[in-house]
Coordinates of all heavy atoms in Angstrom, one line a residue:
M7 N -3.0 -40.4 65.4 CA -2.3 -40.5 64.2 C -2.0 -39.1 63.7 O -2.9 -38.2 63.7 CB -3.1 -41.3 63.2 CG -2.4 -41.5 61.9 SD -3.4 -42.7 60.9 CE -2.1 -43.4 60.1
Q8 N -0.8 -38.7 63.3 CA -0.6 -37.4 62.8 C -0.5 -37.3 61.3 O -0.2 -38.5 60.7 CB 0.7 -36.8 63.5 CG 2.0 -37.3 63.0 CD 3.2 -36.8 63.8 OE1 4.2 -37.3 63.6 NE2 3.0 -35.9 64.7
S9 N -0.6 -36.2 60.7 CA -0.5 -36.1 59.2 C 1.0 -36.3 58.8 O 1.9 -36.2 59.6 CB -1.0 -34.8 58.7 OG -0.2 -33.8 59.0
A10 N 1.2 -36.5 57.6 CA 2.6 -36.6 57.0 C 3.3 -35.3 57.2 O 4.6 -35.4 57.4 CB 2.5 -37.0 55.6
R11 N 2.7 -34.2 57.4 CA 3.5 -33.0 57.5 C 4.2 -32.9 58.9 O 5.2 -32.3 59.1 CB 2.4 -31.8 57.5 CG 1.9 -31.5 56.1 CD 1.1 -30.3 56.0 NE 0.2 -30.1 54.9 CZ 0.8 -29.6 53.8 NH1 2.0 -29.2 53.6 NH2 0.0 -29.5 52.7
G12 N 3.6 -33.7 59.8 CA 4.3 -33.7 61.2 C 5.4 -34.6 61.3 O 6.3 -34.3 62.1
W13 N 5.6 -35.6 60.4 CA 6.8 -36.5 60.5 C 7.6 -36.6 59.3 O 8.8 -36.9 59.4 CB 6.2 -37.9 60.9 CG 5.4 -38.5 59.9 CD1 4.0 -38.5 60.0 CD2 5.8 -39.3 58.7 NE1 3.6 -39.2 58.8 CE2 4.6 -39.7 58.1 CE3 7.0 -39.6 58.1 CZ2 4.6 -40.3 56.9 CZ3 7.0 -40.3 56.9 CH2 5.9 -40.7 56.3
F14 N 7.1 -36.2 58.2 CA 7.9 -36.5 56.9 C 9.2 -35.7 56.8 O 10.2 -36.3 56.6 CB 7.0 -36.3 55.7 CG 7.6 -36.7 54.4 CD1 7.7 -38.0 54.0 CD2 8.1 -35.8 53.5 CE1 8.2 -38.5 52.8 CE2 8.7 -36.2 52.2 CZ 8.7 -37.6 51.9
N15 N 9.0 -34.4 56.9 CA 10.2 -33.5 56.7 C 11.2 -33.8 57.9 O 12.4 -34.0 57.6 CB 9.8 -32.1 56.6 CG 9.2 -31.7 55.4 OD1 9.5 -32.4 54.3 ND2 8.4 -30.7 55.3
P16 N 10.8 -34.0 59.2 CA 11.8 -34.3 60.2 C 12.4 -35.7 59.9 O 13.7 -35.8 60.1 CB 10.9 -34.4 61.5 CG 9.8 -33.5 61.2 CD 9.5 -33.6 59.7
A17 N 11.7 -36.7 59.3 CA 12.3 -38.0 59.0 C 13.4 -37.8 57.9 O 14.5 -38.4 57.9 CB 11.3 -39.0 58.6
L18 N 13.2 -37.0 56.9 CA 14.1 -36.7 55.8 C 15.4 -36.1 56.4 O 16.5 -36.3 56.1 CB 13.5 -35.8 54.8 CG 12.5 -36.4 53.9 CD1 11.9 -35.3 53.0 CD2 13.0 -37.6 53.1
G19 N 15.1 -35.1 57.5 CA 16.3 -34.5 58.1 C 17.1 -35.4 58.8 O 18.4 -35.4 58.7
D20 N 16.5 -36.3 59.6 CA 17.2 -37.4 60.4 C 18.0 -38.3 59.6 O 19.1 -38.7 59.8 CB 16.3 -38.1 61.3 CG 15.6 -37.3 62.3 OD1 16.0 -36.2 62.6 OD2 14.6 -37.8 62.9
A21 N 17.4 -38.6 58.3 CA 18.1 -39.5 57.4 C 19.1 -38.8 56.5 O 19.8 -39.5 55.6 CB 17.1 -40.2 56.6
K22 N 19.2 -37.5 56.6 CA 20.1 -36.6 55.8 C 19.8 -36.8 54.3 O 20.7 -36.9 53.5 CB 21.6 -36.9 56.1 CG 21.9 -36.6 57.6 CD 23.3 -37.0 57.9 CE 23.8 -36.6 59.3 NZ 23.0 -36.7 60.3
I23 N 18.5 -36.8 54.0 CA 18.0 -36.9 52.6 C 17.7 -35.5 52.1 O 16.8 -34.9 52.7 CB 16.9 -37.9 52.4 CG1 17.3 -39.3 52.8 CG2 16.3 -37.8 51.0 CD1 16.1 -40.3 52.9
K24 N 18.3 -35.1 51.1 CA 18.1 -33.7 50.5 C 17.4 -33.8 49.2 O 17.7 -34.8 48.4 CB 19.4 -32.9 50.4 CG 20.0 -32.7 51.8 CD 21.3 -31.9 51.7 CE 21.8 -31.7 53.1 NZ 23.0 -30.9 53.1
G25 N 16.6 -32.8 48.8 CA 16.1 -32.8 47.5 C 14.9 -33.7 47.3 O 14.4 -33.9 46.1
Y26 N 14.3 -34.3 48.3 CA 13.2 -35.2 48.2 C 12.0 -34.5 49.0 O 12.2 -34.1 50.1 CB 13.5 -36.6 48.8 CG 12.4 -37.6 48.5 CD1 12.6 -38.3 47.3 CD2 11.4 -37.8 49.2 CE1 11.6 -39.3 47.0 CE2 10.3 -38.8 48.9 CZ 10.5 -39.5 47.8 OH 9.5 -40.4 47.5
T27 N 10.9 -34.6 48.3 CA 9.7 -34.0 48.9 C 8.6 -35.0 48.9 O 8.6 -36.0 48.2 CB 9.3 -32.7 48.1 OG1 8.8 -33.1 46.8 CG2 10.4 -31.6 48.1
W28 N 7.5 -34.7 49.6 CA 6.3 -35.5 49.6 C 5.8 -35.7 48.2 O 5.3 -36.8 47.8 CB 5.3 -35.0 50.5 CG 4.0 -35.8 50.6 CD1 2.9 -35.7 50.0 CD2 3.9 -37.0 51.4 NE1 2.0 -36.7 50.3 CE2 2.6 -37.5 51.2 CE3 4.8 -37.6 52.3 CZ2 2.2 -38.6 51.9 CZ3 4.3 -38.7 53.0 CH2 2.9 -39.2 52.7
H29 N 5.9 -34.6 47.4 CA 5.5 -34.6 46.0 C 6.1 -35.7 45.1 O 5.6 -36.1 44.2 CB 5.7 -33.2 45.4 CG 4.9 -32.9 44.3 ND1 3.6 -32.8 44.2 CD2 5.4 -32.8 42.9 CE1 3.2 -32.5 42.9 NE2 4.3 -32.6 42.1
C30 N 7.4 -36.0 45.5 CA 8.1 -37.1 44.8 C 7.3 -38.4 44.8 O 7.5 -39.2 43.9 CB 9.6 -37.2 45.3 SG 10.5 -35.9 45.1
N31 N 6.6 -38.7 45.9 CA 5.8 -39.9 46.0 C 4.8 -40.0 44.9 O 4.4 -41.0 44.4 CB 5.1 -39.9 47.3 CG 6.2 -40.1 48.5 OD1 7.2 -40.7 48.3 ND2 5.9 -39.3 49.6
R32 N 4.2 -38.8 44.5 CA 3.3 -38.8 43.4 C 3.9 -39.3 42.1 O 3.3 -40.0 41.3 CB 2.5 -37.5 43.3 CG 1.7 -37.2 44.4 CD 0.9 -35.8 44.3 NE 0.1 -35.7 43.1 CZ -1.2 -36.0 43.0 NH1 -1.8 -36.6 44.1 NH2 -1.9 -35.9 42.0
H33 N 5.0 -38.8 41.9 CA 5.8 -39.2 40.6 C 6.0 -40.7 40.6 O 5.9 -41.4 39.6 CB 7.1 -38.4 40.5 CG 6.8 -37.0 40.1 ND1 6.8 -36.5 38.8 CD2 6.7 -35.9 40.9 CE1 6.6 -35.3 38.7 NE2 6.6 -34.8 40.0
T34 N 6.5 -41.2 41.8 CA 6.8 -42.6 41.9 C 5.6 -43.5 41.7 O 5.5 -44.4 40.9 CB 7.5 -42.9 43.3 OG1 8.7 -42.2 43.4 CG2 7.9 -44.4 43.4
F35 N 4.5 -43.1 42.4 CA 3.2 -43.8 42.3 C 2.8 -43.9 40.8 O 2.4 -44.9 40.3 CB 2.2 -43.1 43.2 CG 0.8 -43.7 43.1 CD1 0.6 -44.9 43.7 CD2 -0.2 -42.9 42.6 CE1 -0.7 -45.5 43.7 CE2 -1.5 -43.5 42.6 CZ -1.8 -44.7 43.1
T36 N 2.8 -42.8 40.1 CA 2.4 -42.6 38.8 C 3.2 -43.5 37.9 O 2.7 -44.3 37.1 CB 2.3 -41.2 38.2 OG1 1.6 -40.4 39.2 CG2 1.8 -41.1 36.9
S37 N 4.5 -43.4 38.0 CA 5.4 -44.2 37.1 C 5.3 -45.6 37.4 O 5.2 -46.4 36.4 CB 6.9 -43.7 37.4 OG 7.0 -42.3 37.2
R38 N 5.2 -46.1 38.6 CA 4.9 -47.5 38.8 C 3.7 -48.0 38.3 O 3.7 -49.2 37.8 CB 5.2 -47.7 40.3 CG 6.6 -47.5 40.7 CD 6.9 -48.0 42.1 NE 8.3 -47.9 42.4 CZ 8.8 -48.3 43.6 NH1 8.1 -48.8 44.5 NH2 10.2 -48.1 43.8
L39 N 2.7 -47.3 38.4 CA 1.4 -47.8 37.9 C 1.5 -47.9 36.3 O 1.1 -48.9 35.8 CB 0.2 -46.8 38.2 CG -0.3 -46.8 39.6 CD1 -1.3 -45.7 39.8 CD2 -0.9 -48.1 39.9
V40 N 2.0 -46.9 35.6 CA 2.2 -46.9 34.2 C 3.1 -48.2 33.8 O 2.8 -48.9 32.9 CB 2.8 -45.7 33.6 CG1 3.0 -45.8 32.2 CG2 1.7 -44.5 33.9
M41 N 4.2 -48.3 34.5 CA 5.1 -49.4 34.2 C 4.5 -50.8 34.4 O 4.8 -51.8 33.9 CB 6.4 -49.3 34.9 CG 7.2 -48.2 34.2 SD 8.9 -48.1 34.8 CE 8.7 -47.3 36.5
A42 N 3.5 -50.8 35.3 CA 2.8 -52.1 35.7 C 1.7 -52.4 34.7 O 1.0 -53.4 34.8 CB 2.2 -52.0 37.1
G43 N 1.5 -51.5 33.7 CA 0.5 -51.7 32.6 C -0.8 -51.1 32.9 O -1.7 -51.3 32.1
I44 N -0.9 -50.3 33.9 CA -2.2 -49.6 34.1 C -2.4 -48.5 33.1 O -1.5 -47.8 32.8 CB -2.3 -49.0 35.5 CG1 -2.0 -50.0 36.6 CG2 -3.6 -48.3 35.8 CD1 -2.9 -51.3 36.6
D45 N -3.5 -48.4 32.4 CA -3.7 -47.4 31.4 C -3.6 -46.0 32.0 O -4.0 -45.8 33.1 CB -5.0 -47.7 30.6 CG -6.2 -47.4 31.5 OD1 -6.7 -48.4 32.2 OD2 -6.8 -46.2 31.4
I46 N -3.2 -45.1 31.1 CA -2.9 -43.7 31.5 C -4.2 -43.0 31.9 O -4.1 -42.2 32.9 CB -2.1 -42.9 30.4 CG1 -1.5 -41.7 31.0 CG2 -3.1 -42.6 29.3 CD1 -0.3 -42.1 31.8
Y47 N -5.3 -43.3 31.4 CA -6.6 -42.7 31.8 C -6.9 -43.1 33.3 O -7.4 -42.3 34.1 CB -7.7 -43.1 30.9 CG -7.5 -42.6 29.5 CD1 -7.0 -43.4 28.5 CD2 -7.5 -41.1 29.2 CE1 -6.8 -42.9 27.2 CE2 -7.3 -40.7 28.0 CZ -6.9 -41.5 27.0 OH -6.6 -41.0 25.8
T48 N -6.8 -44.4 33.6 CA -7.1 -44.8 34.9 C -6.1 -44.2 36.0 O -6.5 -43.8 37.1 CB -7.0 -46.4 35.1 OG1 -7.9 -46.9 34.1 CG2 -7.2 -46.9 36.5
V49 N -4.8 -44.2 35.6 CA -3.8 -43.5 36.5 C -4.2 -42.1 36.7 O -4.2 -41.7 37.9 CB -2.4 -43.6 35.9 CG1 -1.4 -42.8 36.7 CG2 -2.0 -45.1 35.6
G50 N -4.6 -41.4 35.7 CA -5.0 -40.0 35.9 C -6.2 -39.9 36.8 O -6.3 -38.9 37.6
K51 N -7.1 -40.8 36.7 CA -8.3 -40.8 37.6 C -7.9 -41.0 39.1 O -8.3 -40.4 40.0 CB -9.3 -41.9 37.3 CG -10.1 -41.6 36.0 CD -11.3 -40.7 36.5 CE -12.3 -40.8 35.4 NZ -13.4 -39.8 35.7
L52 N -6.9 -42.0 39.3 CA -6.5 -42.2 40.6 C -5.8 -41.0 41.2 O -5.9 -40.8 42.4 CB -5.5 -43.4 40.6 CG -6.1 -44.8 40.4 CD1 -5.1 -45.8 40.1 CD2 -7.0 -45.2 41.5
L53 N -5.1 -40.2 40.4 CA -4.4 -39.0 40.8 C -5.3 -37.8 41.0 O -4.9 -36.8 41.5 CB -3.1 -38.8 39.9 CG -2.1 -39.8 40.1 CD1 -1.2 -39.7 38.9 CD2 -1.4 -39.7 41.4
G54 N -6.5 -37.9 40.4 CA -7.4 -36.7 40.4 C -7.1 -35.7 39.4 O -7.4 -34.6 39.5
H55 N -6.3 -36.1 38.3 CA -6.0 -35.1 37.3 C -7.2 -34.8 36.3 O -7.9 -35.7 36.1 CB -4.8 -35.6 36.5 CG -3.5 -35.7 37.2 ND1 -2.4 -36.5 36.9 CD2 -3.0 -35.1 38.3 CE1 -1.4 -36.3 37.7 NE2 -1.8 -35.5 38.6
K56 N -7.2 -33.6 35.8 CA -8.2 -33.2 35.0 C -7.8 -33.4 33.5 O -8.6 -33.3 32.7 CB -8.7 -31.8 35.3 CG -9.5 -31.7 36.5 CD -9.8 -30.3 36.9 CE -10.6 -30.3 38.2 NZ -10.6 -29.0 38.8
S57 N -6.5 -33.5 33.3 CA -6.0 -33.7 31.9 C -5.0 -34.8 31.8 O -4.3 -35.0 32.7 CB -5.4 -32.3 31.4 OG -4.2 -32.1 32.2
L58 N -4.9 -35.4 30.6 CA -4.0 -36.4 30.3 C -2.6 -35.9 30.3 O -1.7 -36.5 30.7 CB -4.4 -37.0 28.9 CG -3.4 -38.2 28.4 CD1 -3.5 -39.3 29.4 CD2 -4.0 -38.6 27.1
S59 N -2.4 -34.7 29.8 CA -1.1 -34.1 29.8 C -0.5 -33.9 31.2 O 0.7 -34.1 31.4 CB -1.1 -32.7 29.1 OG -1.8 -31.8 29.8
M60 N -1.3 -33.7 32.2 CA -0.8 -33.6 33.6 C -0.3 -35.0 34.0 O 0.8 -35.1 34.7 CB -1.9 -33.0 34.5 CG -1.3 -33.0 35.9 SD 0.0 -31.9 36.2 CE -0.7 -30.3 36.1
T61 N -1.1 -36.0 33.7 CA -0.7 -37.4 34.1 C 0.7 -37.8 33.4 O 1.5 -38.4 34.0 CB -1.9 -38.3 33.7 OG1 -3.0 -37.8 34.4 CG2 -1.5 -39.8 34.3
M62 N 0.7 -37.4 32.1 CA 1.9 -37.7 31.4 C 3.2 -37.1 32.0 O 4.2 -37.5 32.0 CB 1.8 -37.2 29.9 CG 0.7 -38.1 29.2 SD 1.1 -39.8 29.1 CE 2.5 -39.9 28.1
R63 N 3.0 -35.9 32.5 CA 4.0 -35.1 33.1 C 4.6 -35.9 34.4 O 5.8 -35.7 34.8 CB 3.5 -33.7 33.6 CG 4.6 -32.6 33.6 CD 3.9 -31.3 34.0 NE 3.0 -30.8 32.9 CZ 2.3 -29.8 33.1 NH1 2.2 -29.2 34.1 NH2 1.5 -29.4 32.0
Y64 N 3.7 -36.6 35.0 CA 4.1 -37.4 36.2 C 4.7 -38.7 36.0 O 5.4 -39.3 36.8 CB 2.9 -37.5 37.1 CG 2.6 -36.4 38.1 CD1 1.9 -35.3 37.6 CD2 3.1 -36.4 39.3 CE1 1.6 -34.3 38.5 CE2 2.8 -35.4 40.2 CZ 2.1 -34.3 39.7 OH 1.9 -33.2 40.6
S65 N 4.5 -39.3 34.8 CA 5.0 -40.6 34.5 C 6.3 -40.6 33.9 O 6.5 -40.1 32.8 CB 4.0 -41.4 33.6 OG 3.8 -40.8 32.4
H66 N 7.3 -41.1 34.7 CA 8.7 -41.2 34.2 C 9.0 -42.7 34.1 O 9.1 -43.4 35.1 CB 9.6 -40.6 35.2 CG 9.2 -39.2 35.6 ND1 9.3 -38.2 34.8 CD2 8.6 -38.7 36.7 CE1 8.8 -37.0 35.4 NE2 8.4 -37.4 36.6
L67 N 9.2 -43.1 32.9 CA 9.4 -44.6 32.6 C 10.9 -44.9 32.8 O 11.8 -44.1 32.3 CB 8.9 -45.0 31.3 CG 7.4 -44.7 31.1 CD1 7.0 -45.3 29.7 CD2 6.5 -45.3 32.2
A68 N 11.2 -46.0 33.5 CA 12.6 -46.4 33.6 C 13.2 -46.8 32.3 O 12.4 -47.4 31.4 CB 12.7 -47.6 34.5
P69 N 14.4 -46.6 32.0 CA 15.0 -46.9 30.7 C 14.8 -48.4 30.4 O 14.6 -48.7 29.2 CB 16.6 -46.5 30.9 CG 16.5 -45.4 31.9 CD 15.4 -45.8 32.8
A70 N 14.9 -49.3 31.3 CA 14.7 -50.7 31.1 C 13.3 -51.0 30.7 O 13.1 -51.9 29.8 CB 15.1 -51.6 32.4
H71 N 12.4 -50.3 31.2 CA 11.0 -50.4 30.8 C 10.8 -50.0 29.3 O 10.2 -50.6 28.5 CB 10.0 -49.6 31.6 CG 8.6 -49.7 31.4 ND1 7.8 -50.8 31.7 CD2 7.7 -49.0 30.7 CE1 6.7 -50.7 31.3 NE2 6.5 -49.6 30.6
N72 N 11.4 -48.9 28.9 CA 11.3 -48.4 27.6 C 12.0 -49.4 26.6 O 11.4 -49.7 25.5 CB 12.0 -47.0 27.4 CG 11.2 -46.0 28.0 OD1 10.0 -46.0 28.2 ND2 11.8 -44.9 28.4
A73 N 13.1 -50.0 27.0 CA 13.9 -51.0 26.1 C 13.0 -52.2 26.0 O 12.9 -52.8 24.9 CB 15.2 -51.3 26.8
A74 N 12.4 -52.7 27.0 CA 11.5 -53.8 27.0 C 10.4 -53.6 26.0 O 9.9 -54.5 25.3 CB 11.0 -54.2 28.4
A75 N 9.8 -52.4 26.0 CA 8.7 -52.1 25.1 C 9.1 -52.3 23.7 O 8.5 -52.9 22.7 CB 8.2 -50.7 25.3
V76 N 10.4 -51.8 23.3 CA 10.9 -51.9 21.9 C 11.3 -53.4 21.6 O 11.0 -53.8 20.5 CB 12.2 -51.0 21.8 CG1 12.9 -51.3 20.4 CG2 11.8 -49.6 21.9
D77 N 11.8 -54.1 22.6 CA 12.1 -55.5 22.4 C 10.9 -56.4 22.0 O 11.0 -57.4 21.4 CB 12.8 -56.1 23.6 CG 14.2 -55.5 23.9 OD1 14.8 -55.0 22.9 OD2 14.6 -55.8 25.0
R78 N 9.7 -55.9 22.5 CA 8.5 -56.6 22.1 C 8.1 -56.6 20.7 O 7.4 -57.5 20.1 CB 7.3 -56.1 22.9 CG 7.5 -56.4 24.5 CD 6.4 -55.8 25.2 NE 5.1 -56.6 25.0 CZ 4.0 -56.3 25.5 NH1 3.8 -55.3 26.3 NH2 2.9 -57.1 25.4
L79 N 8.8 -55.7 19.9 CA 8.6 -55.5 18.5 C 9.3 -56.6 17.7 O 8.9 -56.9 16.6 CB 8.8 -54.1 18.0 CG 8.0 -53.1 18.5 CD1 8.5 -51.6 18.1 CD2 6.5 -53.2 18.1
V80 N 10.4 -57.0 18.2 CA 11.4 -57.8 17.5 C 11.2 -59.3 18.0 O 11.5 -59.5 19.3 CB 12.8 -57.4 17.7 CG1 13.8 -58.3 17.0 CG2 13.0 -55.9 17.3
P81 N 10.8 -60.2 17.3 CA 10.6 -61.6 17.8 C 12.1 -62.2 18.1 O 13.0 -62.0 17.4 CB 10.0 -62.4 16.6 CG 10.1 -61.5 15.4 CD 10.4 -60.1 15.9
V82 N 12.1 -62.8 19.2 CA 13.3 -63.5 19.7 C 13.3 -64.9 19.2 O 12.4 -65.6 19.3 CB 13.4 -63.5 21.2 CG1 14.6 -64.2 21.7 CG2 13.4 -62.1 21.7
S83 N 14.4 -65.3 18.6 CA 14.5 -66.7 18.0 C 15.4 -67.6 18.8 O 16.0 -67.3 19.6 CB 14.9 -66.7 16.5 OG 15.8 -65.7 16.2

């Protein structure tokens, strides 16, 4: 088995994907955990972050997720 360094960048090149790095996976992982309802402290622990601000920097919530949060405040009749 080889490390991601051995296959990841060549695979991106073969697929003609530009501007994507292995680091993008951390942002996706973080964002999906937060949108799934996992508390930010647990997400930070999973990522090995020492500060909450670093974890917040990685969590990018989808616009639909933000809208759904606001919709929960207004009762639907």
Side-chain angles (χ1 to χ4, degrees):
M7 184 171 218
Q8 73 184 172
S9 75
R11 293 186 192 275
W13 61 264
F14 188 76
N15 287 336
L18 290 176
D20 292 347
K22 297 181 178 34
I23 296 172
K24 296 182 181 181
Y26 192 88
T27 66
W28 183 261
H29 196 70
C30 294
N31 295 323
R32 289 180 63 86
H33 287 273
T34 301
F35 178 69
T36 304
S37 298
R38 288 188 178 181
L39 285 173
V40 172
M41 288 188 286
I44 307 303
D45 68 275
I46 200 74
Y47 296 103
T48 301
V49 174
K51 283 277 198 188
L52 289 169
L53 291 164
H55 291 160
K56 293 181 178 157
S57 70
L58 180 60
S59 63
M60 180 60 75
T61 306
M62 293 299 291
R63 211 178 289 169
Y64 274 85
S65 62
H66 310 286
L67 304 182
H71 182 79
N72 289 335
V76 173
D77 287 345
R78 291 177 73 182
L79 295 174
V80 180
V82 177
S83 34

